[in-house]
Amino acid sequence: MKIGIVIGSHRQDSQSRKVGLYLEQQLKSLGTETWLHDLAQDPLPLWDENIGSGEGQWAFLPGLVERLQSSDGFIFVCPEWHGMATSALKNFFLLCGAQSGLAHKPALITTVSGSDGGAYVVAELRASSYKNNRLCYIPEQLVIRNVGQVLNNHSDENNAEAHNYFVERASYTLKLLLAYADAMGAIRTSGVVDLEAYPNGM
């Protein structure tokens, strides 16, 4: 089992990265293989019409697609900025079409807020980020509110009650993601998926 984690913040040392690294650590403790792509530390070029060329700025793309194709599920960690998902994460989805390796695989939305926000990003990603790539968001999500007070390495930096809640909720949700990843493998091998005839969603 392999889970890919994509960090959608543009900040180099972001709270989203902190959350992503925490979730990665928890997955590894469950015996799950992981990889992590931080869009701040390793940004992707903006989509243009030469994306399929495999040349110039797009020479990296086959490597990314290989990682996506080798994964059984995904976690997308995104801060809420001005009530929206980040442009880096939206661009990631523009680059990932039907053959990218996301299709019919489960994904966990994890949003991050410095205050009581985070819900707008959940709604935005569920509404608009899966159409052509056929990604399947699981019905649970993690909304990490007041993120500066939870999931820190030093316990004295955490609000104990909130921290314990998010630790328990994350543990539950990650196990659920792994169960979906295991179950959905049968869909991809069933022979009913046809991304050649129907590369774009309706």
Side-chain angles (χ1 to χ4, degrees), residues 67-86:
R67 295 177 89 182
L68 299 176
Q69 290 177 342
S70 71
S71 300
D72 301 290
F74 304 95
I75 298 173
F76 296 98
V77 184
C78 186
E80 183 175 284
W81 290 352
H82 299 277
M84 300 182 291
T86 63

Side-chain angles (χ1 to χ4, degrees), residues 5-14 17 35-46 57-61 63-65 67 88-89 91-92 95:
I5 302 170
V6 178
I7 309 299
S9 178
H10 299 211
R11 293 192 171 105
Q12 289 295 313
D13 190 21
S14 66
R17 179 175 175 84
W35 59 266
L36 186 144
H37 190 116
D38 187 329
L39 293 173
Q41 297 190 7
D42 190 10
L44 303 177
L46 292 177
Q57 68 176 353
W58 299 114
F60 79 93
L61 198 57
L64 175 61
V65 169
R67 295 177 89 182
L89 188 58
N91 182 61
F92 172 88
L95 302 180

Side-chain angles (χ1 to χ4, degrees), residues 8 14 24 40 43 47-48 76 81 88 109 112 115 122 142 188 192:
S14 66
E24 182 179 44
W47 183 96
D48 67 31
F76 296 98
W81 290 352
I109 296 172
V112 171
S115 57
V122 174
L142 291 173
R188 298 191 301 277
V192 300

Side-chain angles (χ1 to χ4, degrees), residues 11 15-16 20-21 27 44 53 59 67 73 76-77 86-87 90 98 102 135 145 148 151 155 166 173 176-177 187 194:
R11 293 192 171 105
Q15 292 289 323
S16 297
L21 291 172
L27 284 170
L44 303 177
S53 68
R67 295 177 89 182
F76 296 98
V77 184
T86 63
S87 57
K90 297 291 279 188
L102 297 181
L135 187 70
R145 299 183 173 98
L151 306 182
S155 59
F166 285 120
T173 308
L176 192 63
L177 173 65
I187 296 173
D194 189 349

